């Protein structure tokens, strides 16, 4: 049997790490994903054009990209637990600012702060996965961690929409921040220090460490593919609710059901894809998932007024491709 096909069971501590990373990912993804179902409400409440809403969404992405470049040179110089807590606390503060924003300018500023901190958390989580789990376990780990995406749709997005309908669009951000505070305490108490990588640090300068990282061709390919994966998926997701309401004739009352069913499907599909990637060629499955996603994106984005249940099915099929690529593009 090939090494890649060997299934290695998780220890008790590893299961706890998976849980912590999954719930952390849940809050970070929910903070970003909640912009999608709130898109129609936000544009109408703040009288925003689609372009202005796009700026509010892009503010998170651009600040996350800048933060990633700034931290890449020195991130490996610190205990990964402390690094995760530092950026997660910053993410919580930014999310609270989002919940306190009352104007478009305040919202954009808050999204920039949230992106500066939240955009790096996914990379730190991947580094922790690399430290704690071996290659034969990582497909399953990524499958479970990415369940945070599905959970955010099943639980977070419908609850966020419900709160937004009762109090206003700021309420979901405060809900995310409150939940994140509890998770930060759990990380502080349960996650062990991760410092083994510090023994391999040879560059005295953060700039030289960054340069030596980018100087390797395989690193540049990996970084570029990761960036393209994120761009490809998240260029479309923030406009999901606005597209569904204004193009597909999905009602605001049906939106929570659409996100909940899609998220529940992700919870069922992601662990299967993760386990499959640990027993079959990861690259082949990645290629199939990428081609599948491209086909479904073309089909979905060219729809007009469509029956609700057909929208649900097509949305599930499209997201299956999007999320499978992320699982298979593992550290």
């Amino acid at each position: 049997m090939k090494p890649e096909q060997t299934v290695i069971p998780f220890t008790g501590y590893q299961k706890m790490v998976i849980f912590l990373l999954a719930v952390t990912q849940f809050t970070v993804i929910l903070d970003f994903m909640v912009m999608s179902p709130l898109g129609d409400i936000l544009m109408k409440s703040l009288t925003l054009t689609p372009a202005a809403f796009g700026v509010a969404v892009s503010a998170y992405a651009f600040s996350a990209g800048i933060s990633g470049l700034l931290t890449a040179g020195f991130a490996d110089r610190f205990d990964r637990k402390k690094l995760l807590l530092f950026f997660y606390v910053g993410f919580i503060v930014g999310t609270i600012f989002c919940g306190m924003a009352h104007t478009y300018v305040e919202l954009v500023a808050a999204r920039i702060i949230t992106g500066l901190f939240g955009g790096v958390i996914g990379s730190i989580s991947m580094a922790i996965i690399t430290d704690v789990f071996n290659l034969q376990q990582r497909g399953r780990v990524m499958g479970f961690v990415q369940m945070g995406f599905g959970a955010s749709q099943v639980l977070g997005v419908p609850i966020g929409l419900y709160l937004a309908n009762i109090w206003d669009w700021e309420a979901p951000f405060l809900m995310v921040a409150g939940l994140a505070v509890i998770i930060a305490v759990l990380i502080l108490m349960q996650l062990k220090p991760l410092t083994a990588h510090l023994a391999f640090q040879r560059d005295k300068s953060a700039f030289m460490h960054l340069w030596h990282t980018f100087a390797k061709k395989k690193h540049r390919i990996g970084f570029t593919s990761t960036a393209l994966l994120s761009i490809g998926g998240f260029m479309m997701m923030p406009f999901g609710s606005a597209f569904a309401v204004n193009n597909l004739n999905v009602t605001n009352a049906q939106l929570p059901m659409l996100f909940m069913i899609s998220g529940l499907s992700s919870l069922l599909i992601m662990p299967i894809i993760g386990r499959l990637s640990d027993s079959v060629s990861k690259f082949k499955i990645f290629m199939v998932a990428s081609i599948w996603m491209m086909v479904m994106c073309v089909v979905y984005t060219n729809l007009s007024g469509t029956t609700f249940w057909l929208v649900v099915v097509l949305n599930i099929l499209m997201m299956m491709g999007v999320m499978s690529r992320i699982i298979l593009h593992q550290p």
Side-chain angles (χ1 to χ4, degrees):
M1 181 175 289
K2 297 180 180 179
E4 189 179 35
Q5 296 177 319
T6 303
V7 177
I8 301 176
F10 297 125
T11 65
Y13 176 71
Q14 286 179 325
K15 291 178 181 178
M16 189 273 296
V17 172
I18 293 174
F19 170 75
L20 291 177
L21 295 181
V23 292
T24 301
Q25 192 80 337
F26 169 79
T27 54
V28 174
I29 292 176
L30 178 58
D31 176 85
F32 184 84
M33 284 298 300
V34 81
M35 288 289 286
S36 176
L38 291 179
D40 192 60
I41 299 174
L42 268 172
M43 286 190 279
K44 292 174 180 176
S45 297
L46 299 179
T47 317
L48 304 180
T49 63
F53 177 69
V55 170
V57 174
S58 300
Y60 181 104
F62 283 123
S63 62
I66 293 172
S67 176
L69 286 175
L70 292 176
T71 58
F74 64 82
D76 288 333
R77 296 174 175 270
F78 298 94
D79 174 2
R80 300 206 198 282
K81 174 183 177 178
K82 293 180 180 178
L83 200 67
L84 177 61
L85 280 172
F86 172 77
F87 282 99
Y88 198 49
V89 170
F91 162 79
I92 293 172
V93 172
T95 304
I96 292 174
F97 285 159
C98 290
M100 297 173 62
H102 299 293
T103 66
Y104 174 66
V105 174
E106 291 176 353
L107 177 62
V108 171
R111 295 310 291 167
I112 291 174
I113 295 173
T114 308
L116 285 172
F117 291 94
V120 186
I121 292 174
S123 300
I124 299 172
S125 297
M126 286 189 178
I128 293 175
I129 290 172
T130 303
D131 287 344
V132 178
F133 303 91
N134 60 45
L135 182 62
Q136 289 75 26
Q137 295 176 311
R138 293 175 196 167
R140 285 173 290 154
V141 176
M142 289 295 290
F144 285 117
V145 171
Q146 289 302 324
M147 284 174 66
F149 179 88
S152 70
Q153 288 186 297
V154 173
L155 300 174
V157 170
I159 294 174
L161 282 172
Y162 177 74
L163 294 177
N165 288 328
I166 296 178
W167 286 298
D168 213 338
W169 58 265
E170 298 95 342
F173 293 108
L174 296 178
M175 175 195 71
V176 173
L179 180 60
V181 169
I182 298 174
I183 296 171
V185 173
L186 289 176
I187 293 173
L188 178 64
M189 296 175 60
Q190 299 296 327
L191 188 64
K192 297 177 182 178
L194 295 163
T195 58
H197 62 285
L198 299 180
F200 300 96
Q201 295 300 307
R202 294 181 175 86
D203 295 317
K204 297 181 180 180
S205 166
F207 174 78
M208 290 305 299
H209 180 67
L210 182 62
W211 170 255
H212 289 159
T213 300
F214 277 100
K216 295 183 179 180
K217 182 179 179 180
K218 65 178 182 179
H219 288 173
R220 294 197 301 272
I221 294 174
F223 297 151
T224 303
S225 62
T226 300
L228 291 175
L229 279 174
S230 300
I231 293 172
F234 293 116
M235 278 180 65
M236 184 174 62
M237 289 180 190
F239 292 93
S241 67
F243 179 78
V245 171
N246 297 292
N247 294 72
L248 306 182
N249 296 334
V250 174
T251 66
N252 283 311
Q254 291 174 323
L255 275 180
M257 181 66 70
L258 172 62
F259 284 101
M260 181 176 291
I261 295 175
S262 298
L264 182 60
S265 300
S266 296
L267 288 176
L268 298 175
I269 294 171
M270 295 306 98
I272 296 175
I273 298 296
R275 178 173 288 274
L276 191 62
S277 73
D278 282 338
S279 57
V280 185
S281 171
K282 292 179 172 61
F283 180 74
K284 290 181 180 178
I285 299 178
F286 178 82
M287 290 300 297
V288 171
S290 297
I291 295 172
W292 176 267
M293 186 216 65
M294 289 187 284
V295 172
M296 291 310 306
C297 280
V298 171
V299 172
Y300 190 80
T301 55
N302 281 279
L303 294 174
S304 54
T306 307
T307 303
F308 174 72
W309 288 108
L310 180 58
V311 173
V312 170
V313 172
L314 293 175
N315 188 268
I316 291 172
L317 294 176
M318 180 178 64
M319 295 311 300
M320 182 171 66
V322 173
M323 296 309 299
S324 294
R325 294 182 317 146
I326 297 176
I327 289 176
L328 295 167
H329 190 270
Q330 53 188 273

